[in-house]
C-alpha cells in the first residue's frame, strides 16, 4: 500500500503513531460492536479516548430524517446530496415514493445512454450476421448491455422503477450469456421494464412467451411431437407456485404442452412467431387448471393458464415473501408476508399496492441496516457517492471507464444478470457477506477514492473539492464527508477510523496544502465507504 512521503503530525492519536494503521484495523474501528467482533476482538476505549473522538458537526444542507433515509436508501441505488434534495422537494420520503410509483414518467437522466451502444438496438438477424462475420460477437453486445444497465443505475432519477425492473428480471431470469439469447435479450429488458410496476399477471404472460425466455429454457424448439419440459417445469417451480406445491410430473407435462407453439427459427432467420401447427392439442390439467385445448392456436389457453398461475394463492405467497426478503430482511415475519399476499390478490396481482403495504409495515420501518448491498449495488452506490461522471464515448465501446465498470463489478463478485441458473441471483445477506467479497469491495473503494482506476473517460472530484471551507478541523471535515457520502452524520467510530487512516487528530486544521489533502484523502474516503453505513441498504 502506498505510503505518505511526509512525517506524522504531532497531534496523531497515540495508538496510530508507531506505524500506519492497517485497513483491517480501520474497518474494525469503523464497524464497531458485533460487526467488529467478526473481524477482530473488540477493545472498549477508555473514557478519555471516547471523549477525544466525539464528533463535531458541519452545518451543511439539511439531511433526511432516519425514517426517510431508510426508505430512500432501501428503494434507491444510493443516497446522494441530489437525491436528498429531490426527496425534500417532494415533501418527504413517502411523497417521493408515491411519485416514484406513478406510471408514465420518463427518466431523462438515462435517456442519452440509449445511443452509446447502437448494437443494442439492432435486430436479431443483424446481430447474428455481425456475430458470424466476426464484426461483433454476441458476448460483446451483452457486455455492453450490462454496462448500459450499470450506468442506468448510477444515473437514474427513477430508482424504484429501475429496482423493480431488476427484481423481476432476476425472478424471471434469462442470463445474458445464455446460448443464443443475445439477439433478443435487450428486447426482453424492454418488455419487463414496461411492466415492472404493473400487474404480475401481465408481466408473467409477456415474459414467459418472449423469445429470449423461450430460447433459454428450450420452449423455442418445443413441438407437439417433442414437447420440452424445461420452461413448463421452471414456470411452476421458480416463477409461480414454487417447488413442492401440489403438482406432479403429469402437471409438468401438461404445463409444457400448453406452452408449445411459441417458436424461434434458431440459427437461421431468427424469426419469432407462434406456429399453430406445432401446438399440442388435447385435454390438459395442471393442479386446479383444466382446459379442452382443442384449438391448434393455443395462445388463449396459454394466457388463461398463465393468468391462473399468477392469481394462485401460492404464487401470491411466493411473490410476497420474495419482495419482503429483498426490501425488508432475510427472515420477514409471516404476518407481513400474509398481508402482502392478500394485498396482491385483492388488487388483481398489481404490484404498486403491495409495495405501498410493504413500506407502511412495522417490519419495514424496523429493518434499517438489515440488508447487505450485493456487489452490483455496492459498485453503483460507490459511483454515486463519489459523484463521478462517466463521459460519453467518442465512438461506440471506446470509453475506457464504461468498459472498466463491468470489470470492477466482476472483481467484487457479480455482474448484472449473469447468474447462469434459472432461479436468479441470491437476494439474501449470507450470499454476499464473505470476507473475500468485503476485501474486494474495499479494493474498489480505495482505487476509486484515489482516482487511480478507472482513470480515463471519467471525471472525479479532486480532493480539494471535498473541503467545505478553505480551512476546517478534521472532525468537522469527517462529518461533512459522511453527509456527502452516506447522507448521515459521522460517529465516534468513524471519526476514530478516519483519524487513524489520515494519521491526524480530530482538532487538526486541514487546508488545501495539508498532507491529508495532498496524500491521505483516498484513505479517508475509502474508510467511510468501507463502513457498514455504505455496505448496507
Amino acid at each position: 500500500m502506498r505510503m505518505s512521503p511526509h512525517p506524522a503530525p504531532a497531534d496523531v492519536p497515540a495508538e496510530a503513531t508507531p506505524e500506519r494503521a492497517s485497513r483491517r484495523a480501520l474497518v474494525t474501528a469503523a464497524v464497531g460492536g458485533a460487526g467488529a467482533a467478526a473481524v477482530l476482538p473488540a477493545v472498549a476505549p477508555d473514557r478519555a479516548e471516547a471523549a477525544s473522538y466525539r464528533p463535531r458537526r458541519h452545518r451543511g444542507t439539511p439531511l433526511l430524517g432516519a425514517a426517510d433515509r431508510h426508505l430512500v436508501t432501501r428503494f434507491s441505488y444510493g443516497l446522494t446530496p441530489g437525491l436528498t434534495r429531490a426527496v425534500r422537494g417532494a415533501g418527504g420520503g413517502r411523497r417521493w415514493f408515491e411519485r416514484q410509483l406513478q406510471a408514465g414518467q420518463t427518466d431523462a437522466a438515462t435517456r442519452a445512454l440509449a445511443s452509446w451502444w447502437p448494437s443494442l438496438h439492432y435486430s436479431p438477424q443483424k446481430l447474428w450476421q455481425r456475430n458470424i462475420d466476426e464484426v461483433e460477437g454476441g458476448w460483446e453486445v451483452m457486455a455492453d448491455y450490462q454496462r448500459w444497465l450499470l450506468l442506468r443505475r448510477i444515473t437514474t432519477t427513477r430508482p424504484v422503477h429501475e429496482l423493480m425492473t431488476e427484481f423481476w428480471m432476476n425472478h424471471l431470469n434469462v442470463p445474458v450469456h445464455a446460448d443464443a439469447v443475445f439477439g433478443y435479450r435487450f428486447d426482453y429488458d424492454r418488455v419487463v421494464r414496461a411492466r415492472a410496476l404493473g400487474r404480475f399477471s401481465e408481466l408473467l404472460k409477456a415474459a414467459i412467451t418472449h423469445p429470449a425466455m423461450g430460447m433459454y429454457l428450450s420452449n423455442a424448439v418445443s413441438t407437439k411431437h417433442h414437447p420440452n419440459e424445461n420452461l413448463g417445469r421452471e414456470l411452476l417451480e421458480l416463477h409461480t407456485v414454487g417447488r413442492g406445491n401440489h403438482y406432479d410430473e403429469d402437471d409438468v407435462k401438461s404445463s409444457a404442452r400448453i406452452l408449445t407453439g411459441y417458436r424461434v427459427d434458431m440459427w437461421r432467420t431468427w424469426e419469432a412467431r407462434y406456429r399453430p401447427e406445432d401446438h399440442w392439442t388435447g385435454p390438459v390439467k395442471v393442479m386446479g387448471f383444466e382446459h379442452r385445448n382443442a384449438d391448434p392456436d393455443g395462445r388463449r389457453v396459454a394466457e388463461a393458464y398463465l393468468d391462473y398461475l399468477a392469481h394462485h394463492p401460492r404464487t401470491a405467497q411466493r411473490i410476497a415473501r420474495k419482495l419482503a426478503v429483498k426490501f425488508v430482511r432475510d427472515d420477514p415475519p409471516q404476518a407481513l408476508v400474509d398481508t402482502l399476499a392478500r394485498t396482491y390478490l385483492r388488487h388483481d396481482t398489481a404490484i404498486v399496492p403491495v409495495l405501498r403495504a410493504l413500506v407502511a409495515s412495522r417490519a419495514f420501518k424496523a429493518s434499517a441496516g438489515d440488508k447487505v448491498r450485493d456487489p452490483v449495488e455496492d459498485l453503483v452506490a460507490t459511483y454515486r457517492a463519489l459523484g463521478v461522471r462517466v463521459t460519453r464515448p467518442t465512438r461506440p465501446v471506446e470509453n475506457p471507464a464504461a468498459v472498466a465498470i463491468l470489470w470492477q463489478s466482476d472483481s467484487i463478485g457479480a455482474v448484472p444478470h449473469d447468474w447462469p441458473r434459472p432461479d436468479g441471483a441470491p437476494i439474501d445477506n449470507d450470499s454476499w457477506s464473505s470476507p473475500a467479497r468485503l476485501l474486494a469491495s474495499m479494493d474498489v473503494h480505495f482505487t476509486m477514492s484515489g482516482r487511480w482506476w478507472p482513470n480515463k473517460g471519467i471525471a472525479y472530484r479532486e480532493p480539494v473539492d471535498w473541503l467545505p471551507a478553505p480551512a476546517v478541523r478534521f472532525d468537522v471535515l469527517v462529518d461533512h464527508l459522511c453527509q456527502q457520502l452516506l447522507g448521515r452524520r459521522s460517529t465516534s467510530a468513524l471519526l476514530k477510523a478516519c483519524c487513524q487512516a489520515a494519521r491526524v487528530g480530530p482538532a487538526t486544521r486541514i487546508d488545501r496544502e495539508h498532507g491529508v489533502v495532498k496524500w491521505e484523502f483516498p484513505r479517508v474516503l475509502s474508510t467511510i465507504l468501507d463502513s457498514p453505513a455504505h455496505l448496507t441498504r
Side-chain angles (χ1 to χ4, degrees):
M1 189 170 293
R2 193 168 68 92
M3 300 294 290
S4 171
H6 61 277
D11 53 359
V12 176
E15 71 279 10
T17 52
E19 57 182 305
R20 179 182 301 278
S22 69
R23 291 294 296 285
R24 187 182 185 195
L26 297 179
V27 172
T28 302
V31 171
V39 185
L40 287 175
V43 178
D46 59 33
R47 291 185 178 181
E49 182 182 78
S52 69
Y53 292 109
R54 184 177 296 119
R56 286 230 178 175
R57 299 312 187 197
H58 168 68
R59 184 179 293 178
T61 57
L63 300 176
L64 299 180
D68 283 353
R69 184 176 65 242
H70 168 47
L71 171 61
V72 175
T73 301
R74 193 61 60 89
F75 277 93
S76 75
Y77 287 98
L79 193 58
T80 65
L83 181 53
T84 295
R85 288 192 295 271
V87 173
R88 290 179 59 81
R94 291 298 294 271
R95 289 187 178 181
W96 170 85
F97 187 70
E98 280 299 318
R99 289 187 184 182
Q100 289 282 312
L101 296 176
Q102 293 173 9
Q105 295 186 55
T106 58
D107 195 344
T110 62
R111 192 178 302 151
L113 296 175
S115 63
W116 282 29
W117 293 285
S119 298
L120 296 179
H121 306 280
Y122 292 165
S123 68
Q125 295 80 7
K126 184 173 182 176
L127 288 174
W128 174 244
Q129 191 62 47
R130 287 167 65 85
N131 182 74
I132 62 176
D133 290 344
E134 298 185 355
V135 175
E136 184 179 31
W139 67 271
E140 294 176 282
V141 177
M142 289 296 92
D144 287 343
Y145 166 61
Q146 291 172 305
R147 296 179 185 110
W148 177 80
L149 282 172
L150 287 165
L151 290 175
R152 277 192 68 98
R153 295 171 190 178
I154 291 168
T155 58
T156 183
T157 57
R158 292 200 64 201
V160 174
H161 181 254
E162 196 70 31
L163 276 165
M164 290 308 300
T165 300
E166 177 188 354
F167 176 86
W168 292 124
M169 282 200 292
N170 191 53
H171 179 71
L172 299 160
N173 186 38
V174 175
V176 296
H177 294 303
D179 195 23
V181 304
F182 66 87
Y184 282 99
R185 186 57 179 79
F186 188 67
D187 185 71
Y188 184 72
D189 179 292
R190 179 189 62 79
V191 166
V192 174
R193 189 174 297 276
R195 296 162 178 79
L197 289 173
R199 300 185 186 281
F200 181 69
S201 56
E202 297 304 314
L203 170 60
L204 186 68
K205 295 172 192 175
I208 296 301
T209 60
H210 193 276
M213 180 67 79
M215 288 189 290
Y216 173 49
L217 291 179
S218 306
N219 200 57
V221 296
S222 183
T223 68
K224 63 184 179 183
H225 299 297
H226 302 286
N228 188 292
E229 296 179 7
N230 283 356
L231 181 57
R233 184 182 302 277
E234 304 299 2
L235 170 63
L236 294 168
E237 183 174 311
L238 298 176
H239 304 147
T240 56
V241 295
R243 182 181 303 169
N245 272 315
H246 304 287
Y247 62 85
D248 56 23
E249 285 300 309
D250 288 336
D251 292 320
V252 171
K253 291 176 181 178
S254 284
S255 182
R257 289 165 178 162
I258 291 169
L259 297 175
T260 52
Y262 294 93
R263 298 295 306 279
V264 177
D265 187 21
M266 295 180 67
W267 315 115
R268 295 190 297 176
T269 67
W270 297 96
E271 179 188 20
R273 68 184 182 92
Y274 191 84
R275 292 171 54 94
E277 61 269 29
D278 285 327
H279 177 62
W280 190 95
T281 55
V284 289
K285 181 179 183 301
V286 182
M287 297 185 296
F289 178 82
E290 296 184 58
H291 202 284
R292 292 178 58 246
N293 188 34
D295 191 341
D297 188 339
R299 283 176 286 191
R300 287 188 178 179
V301 64
E303 289 185 4
Y305 171 54
L306 293 170
D307 198 60
Y308 162 80
L309 290 178
H311 287 83
H312 198 286
R314 294 189 180 92
T315 300
Q317 280 281 322
R318 182 167 177 77
I319 296 300
R321 179 167 295 280
K322 200 162 189 177
L323 285 168
V325 170
K326 175 68 176 179
F327 293 109
V328 181
R329 67 178 200 234
D330 287 2
D331 56 342
Q334 185 59 43
L336 171 64
V337 174
D338 291 343
T339 296
L340 300 182
R342 286 194 298 270
T343 304
Y344 170 92
L345 293 173
R346 188 165 57 246
H347 290 87
D348 192 23
T349 79
I351 301 304
V352 167
V354 180
L355 295 179
R356 287 192 181 114
L358 186 150
V359 302
S361 69
R362 290 183 179 179
F364 176 78
K365 294 173 183 176
S367 69
D370 284 351
K371 292 298 296 183
V372 170
R373 280 186 168 134
D374 67 35
V376 177
E377 292 168 339
D378 178 18
L379 181 66
V380 169
T382 299
Y383 269 75
R384 289 173 58 84
L386 292 174
V388 299
R389 182 174 57 86
V390 177
T391 57
R392 180 182 179 127
T394 54
R395 287 188 291 174
V397 300
E398 287 202 4
N399 183 319
V403 172
I405 189 174
L406 190 58
W407 296 343
Q408 288 178 298
S409 182
D410 189 42
S411 75
I412 302 178
V415 293
H417 304 302
D418 198 32
W419 189 258
R421 302 187 323 215
D423 57 347
I427 57 174
D428 64 299
N429 288 348
D430 286 349
S431 297
W432 306 116
S433 300
S434 69
R437 179 274 160 98
L438 175 60
L439 292 172
S441 287
M442 290 168 61
D443 184 65
V444 168
H445 298 163
F446 191 50
T447 56
M448 290 197 67
S449 295
R451 300 169 292 133
W452 295 310
W453 190 74
N455 58 6
K456 295 180 180 179
I458 190 169
Y460 291 95
R461 294 175 68 175
E462 297 287 338
V464 294
D465 297 332
W466 290 99
L467 296 179
V472 61
R473 281 175 55 117
F474 186 72
D475 49 12
V476 175
L477 174 61
V478 170
D479 189 60
H480 167 67
L481 294 177
C482 286
Q483 293 183 50
Q484 293 283 301
L485 297 171
L486 307 175
R488 63 179 71 193
R489 300 289 190 177
S490 64
T491 64
S492 296
L494 264 176
L495 175 57
K496 178 181 178 181
C498 289
C499 285
Q500 291 178 332
R503 300 194 299 174
V504 297
T508 304
R509 299 289 290 179
I510 307 296
D511 60 24
R512 63 186 304 128
E513 298 301 323
H514 195 280
V516 166
V517 175
K518 287 187 172 183
W519 308 110
E520 309 294 355
F521 222 77
R523 293 174 62 83
V524 177
L525 292 177
S526 60
T527 296
I528 297 172
L529 294 175
D530 291 342
S531 71
H534 181 74
L535 289 167
T536 58
R537 39 176 274 272

